[in-house]
Amino acid sequence: MKFLVTGAAGFIGFYVAQRLCEQGHQVVGIDNLNDYYDVNLKQARLNVLASLPLFQFIKLDLADRDGIANLFAAEKFNRVIHLAAQAGVRYSIDNPMAYADSNLIGHLTILEGCRNNQVEHLVYASSSSVYGLNNKVPFDTSDSIDHPVSLYAATKKSNELMSHTYSHLYGIPTTGLRFFTVYGPWGRPDMALFKFTKAIIEGDQIDVYNHGDMRRDFTYIDDIVEGIIQIQDHIPASNELWQVETGSAAQSSAPYRIFNIGNGNPVKLMSFIDSLEKSLGLTANKNMMPMQPGDVYQTYAEVNDLFEVTGHKPAVGVPEGIEKFVQWYKDFYRVK
């Protein structure tokens, strides 16, 4: 088949494009290569993908309405895996307009491309941040997501609503995946593991928010990619018997599904840091700080729905995943 993977120079998009090519699919990857984080890292990922004969890269911004429309019309994709977005909870506090362009207009251009070109399945990235002020754990797709605490979270909830509308109006099968703290080799420099590793190696302080009293459902990249690859083969179908009053919020009478994709096993932040210190053989200089605006105390995914559909359960624990990241980091940045 022919796939469009958006955000192909990004962390998750890089791995997904790689896996699809390995399976024999043709992949067109797009990315705008913005400077939210080190463009050299994005280019290094693309250099790996460039060696795959089934991969083609096109530099393109999601907010380029004509560019996206022309791409869909020319390439006639079978399926779309939409992972591009302006990421980051804290960054959204100071740079709100970037999220409107990438996450709202950008998502709409993808939906329009799917509508006008008979795409058989759109899989897109949502986020665990949509659960906002929800304190009930584990987070279930049936829970309310009406109280986001960051603009980033609000845009991700909007993506789900927009997708449902297109599934309902035009019969486009859409599947939203709420990601839970993805980490691993080739990861994002703005994420805690990358920042902590760099700071500890260089002898700098690490900022530990809420004085370390936080828990995160850290999910290793291989488990995330396996879930994406599996779920894209499970195309949602319409269910005329579904009703708002009695049905799951993760489904619809339209061909629409929402899943959590996480580890299902939250880890204390201080335990996470302890595992990193052991892998590095170094002790972190910790700067204990209060909770930051937009942050939540805990994330914890209920993943039974995804397991029931795909048969995939996360397999990589935090100590093993951190060790693999540290090995990659030292190799990539030539740290002795």
Side-chain angles (χ1 to χ4, degrees), residues 127-132 134-139 179-182 214-219 262-268 294-302:
S127 168
S128 62
S129 67
V130 299
Y131 290 106
N134 182 31
N135 288 319
K136 181 187 78 62
V137 292
F139 295 162
F179 291 108
F180 282 71
T181 316
V182 188
M214 301 175 81
R215 291 160 62 92
R216 288 290 181 269
D217 201 333
F218 294 102
T219 313
N263 193 280
N265 183 28
V267 173
K268 292 179 180 178
D295 266 356
V296 295
Y297 163 68
Q298 177 173 223
T299 62
Y300 180 180
E302 169 55 71

Side-chain angles (χ1 to χ4, degrees), residues 57-71:
F57 176 69
I58 298 173
K59 185 178 179 182
L60 187 60
D61 195 300
L62 290 175
D64 180 351
R65 302 178 191 182
D66 291 339
I68 296 293
N70 292 337
L71 176 72

Side-chain angles (χ1 to χ4, degrees), residues 30-44:
I30 65 171
D31 203 293
N32 68 358
L33 297 177
N34 70 26
D35 61 358
Y36 169 64
Y37 64 78
D38 184 12
V39 177
N40 292 321
L41 177 58
K42 297 180 181 181
Q43 189 60 58

Side-chain angles (χ1 to χ4, degrees), residues 3-265:
F3 282 81
L4 170 64
V5 176
T6 73
F11 178 28
I12 303 174
F14 160 68
Y15 278 95
V16 169
Q18 205 170 25
R19 277 289 300 278
L20 289 170
C21 289
E22 289 169 357
Q23 291 182 340
H25 301 293
Q26 187 177 350
V27 177
V28 175
I30 65 171
D31 203 293
N32 68 358
L33 297 177
N34 70 26
D35 61 358
Y36 169 64
Y37 64 78
D38 184 12
V39 177
N40 292 321
L41 177 58
K42 297 180 181 181
Q43 189 60 58
R45 296 183 187 125
L46 285 179
N47 292 343
V48 174
L49 292 175
S51 67
L52 304 175
L54 292 172
F55 180 80
Q56 175 190 1
F57 176 69
I58 298 173
K59 185 178 179 182
L60 187 60
D61 195 300
L62 290 175
D64 180 351
R65 302 178 191 182
D66 291 339
I68 296 293
N70 292 337
L71 176 72
F72 271 88
E75 297 291 344
K76 302 299 181 188
F77 302 110
N78 298 109
R79 297 179 185 175
V80 175
I81 300 181
H82 175 37
L83 302 169
Q86 178 58 60
V89 168
R90 296 186 189 104
Y91 188 75
S92 70
I93 304 294
D94 298 321
N95 301 276
M97 293 304 177
Y99 292 76
D101 292 339
S102 292
N103 300 9
L104 299 179
I105 294 173
H107 193 73
L108 186 56
T109 63
I110 294 297
L111 286 168
E112 278 289 281
C114 292
R115 175 173 80 92
N116 291 317
N117 294 278
Q118 293 76 52
V119 169
E120 65 182 40
H121 192 192
L122 167 63
V123 177
Y124 63 94
S126 185
S127 168
S128 62
S129 67
V130 299
Y131 290 106
L133 293 177
N134 182 31
N135 288 319
K136 181 187 78 62
V137 292
F139 295 162
D140 192 282
T141 52
S142 64
D143 294 339
S144 169
I145 58 167
D146 289 337
H147 302 92
V149 294
S150 69
L151 181 65
Y152 171 69
T155 64
K156 287 300 183 179
K157 175 179 176 176
S158 298
N159 290 169
E160 294 182 7
L161 296 173
M162 293 158 73
S163 298
H164 182 270
T165 301
Y166 272 66
S167 293
H168 174 74
L169 288 175
Y170 308 115
I172 301 168
T174 65
T175 299
L177 299 175
R178 294 174 180 169
F179 291 108
F180 282 71
T181 316
V182 188
Y183 74 101
W186 294 99
R188 279 176 25 209
D190 63 318
M191 298 292 283
L193 178 57
F194 204 115
K195 290 163 66 175
F196 288 173
T197 300
K198 183 176 187 293
I200 293 170
I201 287 173
E202 296 177 358
D204 296 331
Q205 282 188 334
I206 64 171
D207 292 334
V208 182
Y209 296 116
N210 204 38
H211 305 281
D213 185 20
M214 301 175 81
R215 291 160 62 92
R216 288 290 181 269
D217 201 333
F218 294 102
T219 313
Y220 189 67
I221 183 62
D222 288 1
D223 288 321
I224 288 288
V225 173
E226 186 62 31
I228 295 170
I229 296 298
Q230 294 277 353
I231 204 63
Q232 62 87 19
D233 267 333
H234 294 271
I235 301 175
S238 299
N239 179 5
E240 294 180 359
L241 299 178
W242 181 91
Q243 294 182 329
V244 170
E245 295 78 12
T246 56
S248 166
Q251 300 181 41
S252 175
S253 54
Y256 165 90
R257 284 299 303 264
I258 297 290
F259 294 97
N260 287 334
I261 182 166
N263 193 280
N265 183 28

